[in-house]
């Protein structure tokens, strides 16, 4: 049981890295990133491909983060020119295009057939022991690191600046500061987290295919962030844990609800996610433990 | 071969573009007046397409299928306005957007829970196309063109010729000012969601006539419809239709050069380049929103 | 399903090393059920098959149990849903291994799921049995712990090529849904066809979920093929065939389509005129074997469905039976690895042919070597742990799908 819980926890941690990033982007600057899964895919494939080319994981994981950050940079510049709703839709298209490129460029990515046999974290890093435990420790370390970085960002003068941007962009501009530079910086830094989480994912699942990078994952991360409360660093972790707890918990549910078939259960899963998005927005936009920020 | 090939590609692009346009028309109305991108539009279209399966019970032919679909779309749309979007009206656009994604998931989940994942088809005869020059025109193509033209004309005349349309434009322009001048936003919004639902139902049934009815069909149509909406500038009905057609044309005409699998990426590229040059979209001038 | 930890330890202990104690230990723990993980695509893209596959595993387990179990051990099946998604499958298989402590995992369907599950089962030293088509499964299986009960994509392609040749087609074109299976089938066809000296006049790969495939179709029709070989699924096939018929172009064109797309639902959607002459190819069960008759009857009883409606169910049934026989072959060593090592032994070409678990058990107890003839195929695993099933060729005639012949490809 413990090992399985660890396995679920690894995925929850990988998700919470993304949730933290989204939290920085949306919760602190108001940027709507509906392309999370695109940066996740870039991180995953970068690390997987580099490791298959013979690089050690100590190098490929930072490269995964960097690649996602690089891909985020032009996008961040674009965000300055567009209305936020436009940006949201463009990001959806961006992520979808990345998935398309991955499925077409077979010479590089293995295309729709996928990329099997990726080194696992324990093998790739040469750490002996239970692979799940190794993955858990590593993911936990990354999340702790990301939390520390997030907290520093939020409480630094820089952080106060980005919160000011969210609250009143014009006032910031009136003070002679350029909100644009801050937004770009936040977007790129947080996409580093997403890239890193992609790298961890690649070496945890050890098999990658374009199907794994559909838009649904982006919405999962949004749900996790909203659950925990936009703008709350701790909330990002709690939100991911609740989300994964629910998705995996539904596995055990069919022992309790024998009348519901597994096919129906997949509908129930999607329905509950949808319902919780509606109810949260309607009744508790600040999230379950969010502060005053929220989506309201 | 050259001319005939491109003429055919252009025609295919026009027809697929118009199917997308109808959903974009629904989205652009909501975007222009209620001020958020309604991600549930696609799944309202799906419900419309499924309701269209009841058409043969009411009477034969495509018309009854479409009418059933439009009615279901309108009902669902108005119901969710009262349950969900009206209470969210005072909050940010992002709240409504996320709630609409939730609604999309919920509606699809309900459909698959009760009806399963199997594809369905309308019981319509399959007929051969008429040759028109190098083109082969199917009855479905004509229906789609007619529906799109009528829908656009109807939306345009409602907005510009009727009192409720005038109030809609006033609300779109400045909700606060409209309220102060005594316009009852509630009635305007009910009318707007009703029309948006009718349009979504129409697009869903036409897509069902052209392809097959399945629970994912509307969600899959959403992305191109969003792209068409912002390409043509939100709140601009003519822009939405032209945006859909433009993306359709660009996608199909690009296939001799980039291959078939990349054509969806071409649609995105067109959108991106346009927004880089004109961040408001192509037709910002005639938009409801300024 | 939850079991006391102590007895779990006992099972593992027994499995891990007490083998030295010989048959006595097997009897000492005779009361302990042997745990099998059924990991099937109950929801998602594989949902038309998943429930039947799960049912078939349970059916085989019941048969084994009714015969007194394998080595006196009752088989207990724990089922999980892969949701036809690698992510969900990874967590599901971890649950099966860590929470339920299963000793073998069987019944994964899509290649992506199998490729994601394999490293985990292999690391745990457990065998994995699947019905996936991707060639990579064979090459990634370095520990010989993975068994494939379905034809590879390449073999599907060979069957397509053989049928196209037999039917006298000269100018084939291909259309493939852009995923591993779609490409695998059409590329497998093209390879086999070209090796035979033929030429493919046009080939198109398309993205799914489109409102129209007319442009794709147009490119195919422009090359004037006499047959189109498809690697496709039901919704896209429905739309493509309808658009072809409506266009009125190449009205004599024939279609070779995999059985999962060219089925009753396709005929129902398009009617007899459009589907007239469509050639459906599917891997088929070992239809003339007594094991199949036995399975088909039980399956019909358990699910109300004909066995022919779910070719994968027979495969998962065979997985369980074969595993039971491999257990029975040497009751002194019941570790997953030891049982895995005996799979080829109960599928041995020189052994006595047996068709059910009960027959096999009897023969084994009499000290004979056996060759289980499966309900899905003769099995006869090759060096990669792959099988070579037969294929059926059916043609749609006036709205009926009529079986024309059984196609056997070179072993």
């Amino acid at each position: 049981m413990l090992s399985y819980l660890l396995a679920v926890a690894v995925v929850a941690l990988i998700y919470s890295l993304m949730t933290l990033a989204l939290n920085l982007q949306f919760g602190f600057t108001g940027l709507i990133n509906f392309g999370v899964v695109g940066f996740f895919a870039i991180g995953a494939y970068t690390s997987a491909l580099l490791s298959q080319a013979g690089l050690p994981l100590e190098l490929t994981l930072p490269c995964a983060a960097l690649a996602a950050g690089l891909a985020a940079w032009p996008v961040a510049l674009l965000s300055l020119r567009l209305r936020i709703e436009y940006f949201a839709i463009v990001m959806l298209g961006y992520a979808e295009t990345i998935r398309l490129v991955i499925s077409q460029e077979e010479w590089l990515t293995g295309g729709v057939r996928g990329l099997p046999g990726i080194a696992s974290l324990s093998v790739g890093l040469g750490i002996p022991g239970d692979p799940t435990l190794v993955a858990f420790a590593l993911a936990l370390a990354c999340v702790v690191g990301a939390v520390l970085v997030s907290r520093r960002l939020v409480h630094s003068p820089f952080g106060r600046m980005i919160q000011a941007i969210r609250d009143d962009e014009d006032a910031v501009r009136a003070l002679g500061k350029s909100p644009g530079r801050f937004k770009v910086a936040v977007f790129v830094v947080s996409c580093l987290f997403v890239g890193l989480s992609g790298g961890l994912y690649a070496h945890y699942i050890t098999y990658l295919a374009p199907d794994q990078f559909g838009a649904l994952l982006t919405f999962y991360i949004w749900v996790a962030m909203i659950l925990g409360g936009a703008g709350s660093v701790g909330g990002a972790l709690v939100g991911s844990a609740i989300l994964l707890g629910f998705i995996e918990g539904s596995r055990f549910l069919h022992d309790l609800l024998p009348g519901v078939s597994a096919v129906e259960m997949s509908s129930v899963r999607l329905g509950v996610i949808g319902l919780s998005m509606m109810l949260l927005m309607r009744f508790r936009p600040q999230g379950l433990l969010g502060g005053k920020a929220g989506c309201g | 071969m050259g001319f005939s090939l491109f003429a055919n590609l252009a025609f295919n692009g026009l027809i697929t573009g118009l199917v997308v346009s109808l959903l974009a028309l629904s989205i652009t109305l909501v975007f222009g007046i209620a001020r958020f991108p309604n991600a549930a539009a696609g799944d309202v279209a799906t419900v419309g397409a499924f309701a269209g399966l009841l058409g043969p019970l009411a009477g034969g032919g495509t018309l009854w299928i479409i009418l059933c679909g439009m009615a279901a779309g309108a009902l669902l749309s108005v119901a969710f306005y009262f349950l969900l979007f009206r209470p969210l009206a005072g909050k940010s656009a992002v709240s409504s957007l996320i709630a609409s994604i939730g609604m999309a998931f919920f509606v699809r989940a309900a459909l698959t829970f009760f009806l399963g994942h199997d594809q369905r088809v309308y019981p319509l005869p399959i007929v051969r196309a008429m040759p028109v020059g190098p083109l082969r025109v199917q009855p479905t193509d004509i229906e789609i063109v007619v529906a799109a033209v009528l829908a656009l004309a109807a939306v345009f005349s409602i907005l510009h010729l009727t009192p409720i349309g005038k109030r809609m434009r006033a609300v779109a322009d400045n909700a606060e000012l409209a309220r102060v001048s005594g316009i009852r936003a509630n009635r305007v919004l009910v009318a707007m969601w009703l029309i948006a639902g009718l349009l979504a139902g129409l697009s869903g049934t036409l897509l069902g006539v052209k392809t097959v009815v399945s629970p994912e069909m509307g969600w899959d149509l959403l992305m191109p419809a969003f792209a068409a909406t912002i390409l043509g500038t939100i709140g601009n009905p003519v822009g939405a239709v032209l945006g859909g057609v433009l993306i359709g044309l660009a996608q199909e005409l690009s296939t001799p050069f980039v291959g078939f699998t990349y054509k969806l990426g071409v649609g995105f590229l067109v959108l991106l380049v346009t927004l880089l040059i004109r961040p408001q979209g192509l037709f910002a001038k005639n938009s409801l929103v300024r | 399903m939850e079991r006391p930890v102590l007895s779990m330890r006992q099972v593992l202990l027994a499995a891990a090393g007490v083998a030295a104690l010989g048959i006595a230990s097997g009897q000492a723990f005779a009361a302990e059920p042997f745990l099998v993980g059924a990991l099937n695509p109950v929801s998602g893209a594989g949902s038309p098959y998943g429930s039947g596959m799960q049912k078939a595993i349970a059916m085989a387990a019941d048969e084994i149990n009714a015969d007194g179990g394998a080595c006196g051990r009752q088989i207990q099946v724990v089922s999980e849903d892969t949701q036809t998604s690698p992510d969900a499958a990874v967590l599901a298989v971890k649950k099966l291994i860590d929470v339920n402590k299963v000793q073998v995992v069987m019944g994964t369907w899509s290649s992506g799921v199998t490729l994601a599950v394999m490293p985990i089962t292999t690391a745990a030293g457990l065998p994995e049995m699947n019905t996936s088509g991707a060639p990579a499964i064979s090459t990634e299986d370095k520990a010989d712990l993975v068994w494939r009960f379905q034809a590879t994509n390449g073999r599907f392609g060979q069957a397509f090529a053989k049928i196209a040749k037999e039917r006298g087609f000269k100018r084939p074109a291909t259309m493939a849904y852009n995923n591993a299976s779609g490409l695998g089938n059409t590329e497998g066809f093209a390879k086999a066809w070209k090796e035979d000296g033929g030429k493919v006049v046009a080939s198109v790969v398309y993205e799914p979920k489109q409102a129209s495939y007319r442009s794709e179709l147009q490119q195919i029709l422009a090359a004037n093929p006499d047959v189109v070989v498809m690697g496709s699924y039901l919704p896209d096939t429905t739309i493509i065939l309808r658009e072809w018929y409506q266009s009125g172009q190449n009205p004599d064109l024939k279609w070779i389509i995999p059985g999962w797309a060219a089925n009753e639902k396709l005929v129902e959607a398009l009617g007899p005129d459009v589907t007239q002459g469509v050639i459906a190819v599917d891997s088929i069960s070992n239809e003339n074997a007594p094991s199949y008759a036995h399975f088909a009857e039980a399956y019909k009883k358990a699910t109300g469905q004909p066995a022919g409606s779910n070719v994968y169910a027979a495969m998962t049934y065979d997985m369980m039976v074969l595993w039971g026989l491999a257990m029975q072959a040497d009751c002194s060593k019941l570790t997953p690895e030891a049982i895995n090592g005996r799979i080829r032994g109960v599928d041995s070409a020189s052994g006595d042919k047996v068709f059910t678990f009960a027959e096999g058990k009897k023969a084994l107890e009499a000290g004979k070597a056996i060759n289980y003839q499966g309900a899905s195929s003769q099995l006869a695993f090759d060096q990669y742990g792959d099988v070579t099933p037969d294929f059926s060729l059916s043609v749609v005639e006036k709205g009926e799908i009529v079986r024309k012949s059984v196609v056997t490809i070179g072993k």
Side-chain angles (χ1 to χ4, degrees), chain B residues 1-274:
Chain B
M1 189 60 216
F3 170 72
S4 159
L5 170 73
F6 282 101
N8 268 294
L9 289 177
F11 182 66
N12 298 345
L14 172 75
I15 299 297
T16 25
L18 282 177
V19 175
V20 169
S21 293
L22 284 167
L23 192 62
L25 209 46
S26 167
I27 293 171
T28 210
L29 267 185
V30 178
F31 214 152
I33 295 167
R35 303 285 180 132
F36 72 95
N38 175 21
D43 290 85
V44 174
T46 311
V47 169
F50 272 88
L53 291 165
L54 301 173
L57 301 179
T62 316
L63 189 63
W64 278 105
I65 293 174
I66 291 176
L67 289 179
C68 283
M70 288 175 78
L75 246 134
L76 187 68
S77 185
V78 172
F80 270 92
Y81 164 63
F82 281 112
L83 291 174
L84 187 62
F85 297 120
R86 189 163 75 156
L88 286 174
K91 297 183 178 150
S92 73
V94 182
S95 304
S96 295
L97 169 56
I98 292 167
S100 73
I101 296 169
M103 172 183 163
F105 288 174
F106 184 73
V107 167
R108 183 148 43 114
L111 268 180
T112 54
F113 186 86
F114 292 108
L115 298 172
H117 294 265
D118 281 353
Q119 71 169 32
R120 289 169 169 79
V121 288
Y122 298 130
L124 295 169
I126 298 175
V127 279
R128 290 253 152 95
M130 297 176 282
V132 177
L135 307 178
R136 285 168 193 268
V137 181
Q138 296 160 11
T140 324
D141 299 335
I142 299 171
E143 284 159 18
I144 289 170
V145 173
V146 170
V149 170
L150 284 181
L152 181 59
V155 170
F156 204 81
S157 4
I158 291 171
L159 280 179
H160 291 275
L161 303 177
T162 65
I164 189 93
K166 202 173 153 195
R167 291 202 289 269
M168 270 186 208
R169 283 185 294 138
V171 173
D173 202 31
N174 187 332
E176 198 52 34
L177 192 65
R179 199 180 56 80
V180 175
S181 11
I183 291 176
R184 303 250 295 275
N186 193 26
R187 281 177 61 184
V188 169
L189 287 171
V190 171
M192 184 275 289
W193 281 101
L194 186 80
I195 300 170
L198 290 171
L199 289 168
L202 175 64
S203 79
T205 42
L206 282 176
L207 183 64
V209 169
K210 195 170 162 50
T211 62
V212 294
V213 177
S214 75
E216 286 81 24
M217 60 190 289
W219 179 257
D220 294 336
L221 195 63
L222 185 67
M223 211 23 58
F226 266 161
T229 308
I230 59 177
L231 185 64
T233 305
I234 54 169
N236 185 338
V238 182
V241 174
L242 290 180
V245 171
L246 261 177
I247 289 179
L249 287 176
Q251 287 189 346
E252 296 302 324
L253 289 174
S254 72
T255 55
F257 312 103
V258 300
F260 292 111
T261 39
Y262 261 134
K263 71 178 165 189
L264 303 174
V266 169
F268 175 70
L269 202 67
V270 168
L271 176 66
L272 197 63
V273 171
T274 310

Side-chain angles (χ1 to χ4, degrees), chain C residues 181-222:
Chain C
S181 159
L183 289 180
N185 288 335
T186 53
E187 286 174 5
F189 164 78
K191 186 164 169 278
W193 184 259
K194 284 175 190 159
E195 275 169 7
D196 209 36
K199 211 180 131 217
V200 176
V201 296
S203 59
V204 159
V205 178
Y206 57 87
E207 276 293 308
K209 299 175 179 176
Q210 295 189 65
S212 166
Y213 299 90
R214 255 193 276 183
S215 301
E216 286 83 347
L217 197 54
Q218 195 185 339
Q219 176 160 333
I220 291 292
L221 296 179

Side-chain angles (χ1 to χ4, degrees), chain A residues 69-290:
Chain A
L70 269 180
W73 192 44
V75 173
L77 291 175
L78 180 70
S79 78
L80 304 179
R81 286 176 59 87
L82 296 183
R83 299 168 58 112
I84 56 165
E85 303 95 326
Y86 278 34
F87 179 67
I89 291 167
V90 168
M91 288 313 298
L92 270 175
Y94 182 73
E96 192 56 19
T97 308
I98 287 171
R99 197 188 59 81
L100 207 58
V101 172
I102 290 171
S103 59
Q104 294 316 308
E105 302 305 320
E106 193 169 351
W107 59 275
L108 181 66
T109 63
V112 289
R113 290 189 178 84
L115 211 56
I118 301 163
S120 74
L121 287 167
S122 57
V123 172
L125 291 168
I127 306 172
D130 178 9
T132 314
L133 194 62
V134 173
F136 176 77
L138 202 64
L140 188 63
C142 290
V143 169
V144 170
V147 168
L148 292 178
V149 173
S150 298
R151 281 200 185 279
R152 265 203 94 95
L153 267 178
V154 173
H155 295 298
S156 65
F158 181 79
R160 282 195 288 279
M161 179 62 67
I162 55 181
Q163 286 177 64
I165 291 169
R166 184 195 61 199
D167 295 338
D168 191 346
E169 195 166 322
D170 292 333
V172 175
R173 205 170 272 123
L175 287 173
K177 309 264 183 186
S178 152
R181 258 190 51 222
F182 291 102
K183 277 189 177 178
V184 171
V186 171
F187 197 86
V188 172
V189 167
S190 48
C191 280
L192 295 176
F193 297 170
V194 181
L196 180 62
S197 86
L200 290 173
Y201 173 83
H203 299 283
Y204 179 58
I205 303 284
T206 71
Y207 169 74
L208 296 181
D211 300 354
Q212 285 153 266
F213 301 96
L216 188 63
L217 184 60
T218 297
F219 297 123
Y220 275 174
I221 302 303
W222 272 85
V223 171
M225 181 191 71
I226 300 161
L227 271 172
S232 141
V233 170
L237 304 184
V238 175
S240 309
I242 297 176
L243 177 75
L244 249 283
F246 165 69
I247 295 175
E248 274 304 298
S250 63
R251 260 183 214 299
F252 296 88
L253 218 58
H254 68 81
D255 295 338
L256 305 174
L257 293 174
V260 180
S261 72
V263 182
E264 289 165 344
M265 190 53 81
S266 71
S267 301
V268 170
R269 237 178 337 250
L270 188 68
V272 170
I273 299 254
L275 195 63
S276 60
M277 287 169 97
M278 289 192 281
L279 292 179
L280 279 168
M281 284 302 103
R282 172 80 178 76
F283 297 108
R284 211 173 155 78
Q286 74 273 35
L288 294 181
L289 32 113

